[in-house]
Amino acid sequence: MNPATLAVVGAGPLAAGLVERIAASAPELWPAGRPLRLRLVDPHPPGAGRVWRHDQSPLLRMNSMAEDVTVFTDASSTVEGPVRPGPSLAEWAAAPRDFPPYRPPRDPAVAEELRTLAPTGFATRRAQGAYLEWAFRRAVAALPPHVTVTVHRTTATALTGPADGPQRVHLADGSAPLEADAVVLAQGHLASVPEPGRQRLAAFARRHRLRYVPPEFSAESDLSVLRPGEPVLLRGFGLASADLTVLLTQGRGGRFTRSGEELVYVPSGREPVLHIGSRRGVPYHAKPGYRLRGERPPLPRYFGPRETGALAARVARTGVRLDLRRDVWPLMAKEIGYGYYHELFHAHPERTALSWPDFLAAYDGLGVHGPSLAALVATAVPDPADRLDLAHLDRPLAGRTFSGPGAFRAHLHRYIAADLARRADPGHSADLGAFLALLSVHGQLPGLVERGVLTAESVARQVDGWWQGFFNHVASGPPGFRLRELLALSRAGVVHFLGAGMEVTPDPEAGVFLGSSASVPGHTVAATALVEAYQPRPTVRYTADPLLAALHRDGRLSEELLTDPGPGRAGAGTPAYRTGLVRTAPEDQRLLDPRTGGPHPRRVALGAPTTGRALAAFARPRTDAPAFRRTDAVARQLLRTLRTLTEPADAPRAGLRPRPSPRPSGV
Ligand SMILES: Cc1cc2nc3c(=O)[nH]c(=O)nc-3n(C[C@H](O)[C@H](O)[C@H](O)COP(=O)(O)OP(=O)(O)OC[C@H]3O[C@@H](n4cnc5c(N)ncnc54)[C@H](O)[C@@H]3O)c2cc1C
């Protein structure tokens, strides 16, 4: 029997999910008894990988509730391979012994945390890492005996090999390169070297003996360079900002205590003074701390495969590509409104003035802009606080200015307190309906991009830019307790708020960074340190990963370059946008090889840095998560491809091309 080898670079949650899907489909697609060797390469522990490894601060937490995180398919999953249900993080934590292969967590603090983890709790990253390491062990245990796994705890530095021959994965630990019949790159979130703008800021900092922390993994940042008491500009108000704030306050020995109802921060004296600002000037919305009260909205309704198919057909017919905000957003917004009002009318009918069927009949017939929708909502939903206002959700400080930092601070305290109260109050569970619709809408966008429905500018500026930011701001925020802590830190004078439209200007005369914002005209903060408080964008040009950098340098992979067909030759004379993403074939995620212009028959790339534009989040149970469909389809294609590639020479060859998945992989 000819053995086959699959090398997987990266052994984080995505790679573990791939092993699970291979285990599910191997009995059907892999010949019994023929050896298949899976060789995973990652310096970090398999399953948890870099993001969820135990070796990080216990202060860092998930931003998803334990019951909302799963790595297993369930009855809702429309995967081609077998569904193999398994526990969510919450279910596993409640009874880990029920789920073999059981092994107690090495760290007693993690064991204790898991024992008391509430389904609506937000686990530490370490506890999630324990779940992922167990899930990996379970996937390995589920493999047939002739499919084996070896983990290489090192970094892959290069990938070589011809299109029609074995691939070689070179390893940083100096051991012999791995030889494989096919390779999957599942490298996830990658570090990057500073882009030119950042290099200038870093050089300015060096010249003036200031501190500059570029965008990087907060868990790995060297924050020791920031001095106690020094004024620091923190640019970004999302999850990295929340992590950095925790590490620079509680991580420096500060602690929270209570004074009556109020949370009080007791500084250690070793904290720097943080001035936080961003484009929006407000923190991401807190995660809702409740469940749906009504039945789940049946999504999609206005923006699903039927509608995206119609948009694609329109573009094919007219040859005119669409603008997301102008042509597609109305459908997206209508869907989000549907998720919201579905929950409001079902869970809180006493706050509505129409029956749901009457509201829905009218809503079905309306566009989302214009007076008719506003009039319908005003009639049907008497309290303005119960009406969905997407523009305000997106930019709550738009058009507002404040007389000074004190007035702005007071406003932001009220804003955060109101957000916290709303997100903790099941009376506002309609927000969760909108959240589910946001997820559904998000899942449709990669398909639109892949089918060339949107203009290049719209993909670059609106899908990857505006929409991603809006989605994160509304749907990807921190647990509520982080915002309560933020208020306490502000009251303690450790955190200050800069405002929206934050600008940072190096001042060479004074030798400081100046921070200002549109919210408080004329107010400037002089700081001796600047921290870029956001994840590095996945940009293959600036990746710090040796393997991707080498493939890019050698012209063996290409960065996505968006252009629109111009007059005459496609792309001529029209602006081009580089997205930084690695190009993969939309139908099966194979790496596109610029030298041949086609997909590489033996290389697949999945996850964050690729044009698959997958949602960078764990699947929620019972949502037919698109991530499972994609991983399942790739696992099945790999089994078929490997089988064909390693067939004995005298067997009839089915050709090198794997069969495309019957289901579009982008949706
Ligand atoms: C800080 C952070 C917090 C997050 N929090 C949440 C959350 O609370 N909830 C949620 O739903 N999602 C969250 N996410 C989203 C995240 O995308 C997923 O949770 C998940 O980690 C993605 O899995 P992955 O395997 O694709 O990528 P990763 O988790 O990044 O794993 C990729 C692995 O590849 C390895 N690797 C990369 N290059 C090489 C190489 N050359 N050689 C060998 N190994 C290599 C890395 O070491 C890493 O272990 C978070 C993401 C980040 C970055």
Side-chain angles (χ1 to χ4, degrees), residues 17-246:
L18 187 70
V19 174
E20 193 276 333
R21 289 290 84 204
I22 288 176
S25 281
E28 176 198 340
L29 298 176
W30 191 254
R34 190 199 287 188
L36 170 59
R37 295 185 294 232
L38 308 179
R39 310 191 82 172
L40 273 61
V41 186
D42 198 320
H44 299 294
R50 183 179 184 189
V51 177
W52 305 101
R53 65 189 200 253
H54 186 265
D55 169 26
Q56 62 181 305
S57 167
L59 294 168
L60 298 175
R61 286 181 182 263
M62 301 199 77
N63 67 334
S64 314
M65 292 198 294
E67 67 180 9
D68 286 341
V69 173
T70 189
V71 290
F72 297 105
T73 49
D74 57 33
S76 75
S77 306
T78 55
V79 288
E80 203 191 334
V83 167
R84 293 269 174 89
S88 66
L89 166 61
E91 289 161 345
W92 177 78
R97 284 187 174 76
D98 293 353
F99 301 105
Y102 172 71
R103 193 190 292 166
R106 276 158 293 158
D107 181 343
V110 171
E112 178 57 17
E113 180 194 342
L114 289 168
R115 211 178 52 72
T116 53
L117 182 63
T120 50
F122 294 84
T124 59
R125 297 219 179 113
R126 288 175 161 191
Q128 168 68 351
Y131 169 66
L132 293 167
E133 287 182 27
W134 162 78
F136 176 73
R137 289 199 304 276
R138 173 169 153 139
V140 172
L143 289 164
H146 47 282
V147 184
T148 53
V149 173
T150 315
V151 177
H152 303 262
R153 290 287 297 270
T154 183
T155 299
T157 51
L159 170 59
T160 55
D164 57 357
Q167 304 296 295
R168 297 184 129 217
V169 177
H170 302 255
L171 303 176
D173 64 3
S175 52
L178 302 180
E179 205 157 278
D181 300 292
V183 178
V184 176
L185 304 180
Q187 298 180 254
H189 304 274
L190 295 165
S192 51
V193 298
E195 301 181 19
R198 311 271 168 257
Q199 284 171 16
R200 280 194 289 280
L201 288 169
F204 175 80
R206 273 195 304 276
R207 268 198 309 280
H208 295 277
R209 296 171 183 271
L210 307 175
R211 269 113 350 251
Y212 177 70
V213 179
E216 56 195 4
F217 264 125
S218 336
E220 295 172 9
S221 283
D222 178 10
L223 300 178
S224 65
V225 297
L226 302 173
R227 298 170 186 169
E230 83 168 316
V232 175
L233 297 175
L234 214 67
R235 178 153 58 181
F237 226 152
L239 292 177
S241 177
D243 283 357
L244 290 162
T245 304
V246 171

